[in-house]
Amino acid sequence: GNSVTQMEGPVTLSEEAFLTINCTYTATGYPSLFWYVQYPGEGLQLLLKATKADDKGSNKGFEATYRKETTSFHLEKGSVQVSDSAVYFCALSDSSGAGSYQLTFGKGTKLSVIP
Amino acid sequence: SQTIHQWPATLVQPVGSPLSLECTVEGTSNPNLYWYRQAAGRGLQLLFYSVGIGQISSEVPQNLSASRPQDRQFILSSKKLLLSDSGFYLCAWSLQGGETQYFGPGTRLLVL
C-alpha cells in the first residue's frame, strides 16, 4: 500500500533560518504530492502541491520538488518567520476508483520558530 | 468561492452518549466529501468518504457512522461514544475527480 514518511520533529529554528522538512513516499502508481499546514487549533490548509515528476510546487516562500528517482518531496524555505510555526503534513493522492482520490498523510512535523 | 463549515467547534460529551457532527460546503455542487480523525500527537486517519448523496464508503470499522442526506451536507454520528473517540474531527471536500482536498476548521471532541 501507499505510505508517507516524514521527519517527526519537533523542529525548532531561529527566525530567518533555513528550513528543510524531509518527506519520502511509497506508492504503486504515480501519485500527486502535497504539503498541508495546520496552525494551532485550526484545520489543514493546502500549502503547495506537485502532480508529476520534476514539478516544483511553491507558495508563501515554501518550495518542494517532486523527485521520482528518490521518491521524495522535501519542503524548504529560505528564511522562516515566527508566523510559520505550525504542523506540516506531507501527503500523497491516489485514485480509489469511482471518481474519488484518497490522501495518505505522514504523521506531521511540528515547527517552532523563535525570535 | 467555496467554503466549508463544521459545527460545533468544540464538544464535550460523556461516555455512552450519542454524537452528531455536521459539515456543509458552499459554492460547489456534487463534491466528494471526507471525514478524518486526528488523535492527539498522531496523523490523520480517513474515516469515511462519499462521492454522492447516500453513497458512503467506510475506511475503518468502528462505532461511528456517516450519512450524506443532501448534496453538500455530511454528518458524522455515533450511538454511543467511547473514550477512544476523543480527537479532532476534520471534514474535507474535493471536486469530483479532483485530487486536492480542502479542509474545514475542525471539531474538537472530548469524551469523558
Side-chain angles (χ1 to χ4, degrees), chain B residues 46-89:
Chain B
L46 178 64
L47 301 176
F48 302 94
Y49 69 93
S50 171
V51 298
I53 296 174
Q55 300 178 62
I56 308 295
S57 296
S58 174
E59 290 299 301
V60 181
Q62 62 225 322
N63 69 320
L64 298 172
S65 62
S67 61
R68 184 171 177 173
Q70 300 181 43
D71 180 45
R72 291 169 290 176
Q73 184 185 32
F74 205 23
I75 297 172
L76 183 69
S77 303
S78 174
K79 292 182 179 178
K80 288 185 177 182
L81 284 168
L82 306 173
L83 287 174
S84 58
D85 291 324
S86 293
F88 193 45
Y89 288 82

Side-chain angles (χ1 to χ4, degrees), chain A:
Chain A
N2 297 336
S3 66
V4 175
T5 302
Q6 61 179 106
M7 53 191 292
E8 292 192 16
V11 175
T12 302
L13 295 174
S14 297
E15 206 165 22
E16 300 183 0
F18 185 86
L19 169 71
T20 299
I21 300 178
N22 290 336
C23 172
T24 57
Y25 67 91
T26 302
T28 53
Y30 298 96
S32 293
L33 301 174
F34 303 81
W35 278 101
Y36 283 86
V37 58
Q38 184 178 33
Y39 298 101
E42 298 184 7
L44 273 70
Q45 299 178 24
L46 176 67
L47 182 59
L48 54 84
K49 69 177 184 181
T51 58
K52 61 183 187 296
D54 299 326
D55 267 3
K56 177 186 285 186
S58 61
N59 185 27
K60 299 181 181 179
F62 291 90
E63 293 183 340
T65 301
Y66 191 141
R67 301 289 188 198
K68 182 181 173 185
E69 63 276 14
T70 55
T71 62
S72 65
F73 194 53
H74 304 320
L75 182 68
E76 297 181 337
K77 186 174 185 182
S79 176
V80 293
Q81 305 300 313
V82 173
S83 57
D84 294 326
S85 297
V87 179
Y88 292 82
F89 291 93
C90 184
L92 66 82
S93 175
D94 200 9
S95 175
S96 60
S100 174
Y101 288 84
Q102 290 196 18
L103 289 178
T104 300
F105 285 89
K107 292 185 177 180
T109 301
K110 183 176 182 179
L111 170 67
S112 296
V113 180
I114 55 177

Side-chain angles (χ1 to χ4, degrees), chain B:
Chain B
S1 64
Q2 300 87 1
T3 55
I4 178 169
H5 304 279
Q6 287 186 245
W7 64 89
T10 305
L11 191 60
V12 181
Q13 291 284 92
V15 170
S17 64
L19 173 74
S20 181
L21 302 181
E22 190 165 343
C23 169
T24 58
V25 180
E26 296 177 355
T28 188
S29 295
N30 198 27
N32 289 339
L33 297 172
Y34 307 82
W35 277 113
Y36 291 86
R37 176 169 59 202
Q38 185 179 25
R42 300 172 68 177
L44 283 87
Q45 179 185 37
L46 178 64
L47 301 176
F48 302 94
Y49 69 93
S50 171
V51 298
I53 296 174
Q55 300 178 62
I56 308 295
S57 296
S58 174
E59 290 299 301
V60 181
Q62 62 225 322
N63 69 320
L64 298 172
S65 62
S67 61
R68 184 171 177 173
Q70 300 181 43
D71 180 45
R72 291 169 290 176
Q73 184 185 32
F74 205 23
I75 297 172
L76 183 69
S77 303
S78 174
K79 292 182 179 178
K80 288 185 177 182
L81 284 168
L82 306 173
L83 287 174
S84 58
D85 291 324
S86 293
F88 193 45
Y89 288 82
L90 290 159
C91 182
W93 73 273
S94 70
L95 295 172
Q96 281 287 338
E99 294 184 281
T100 304
Q101 294 181 21
Y102 302 93
F103 287 79
T107 294
R108 191 163 303 281
L109 172 67
L110 180 59
V111 182
L112 300 175

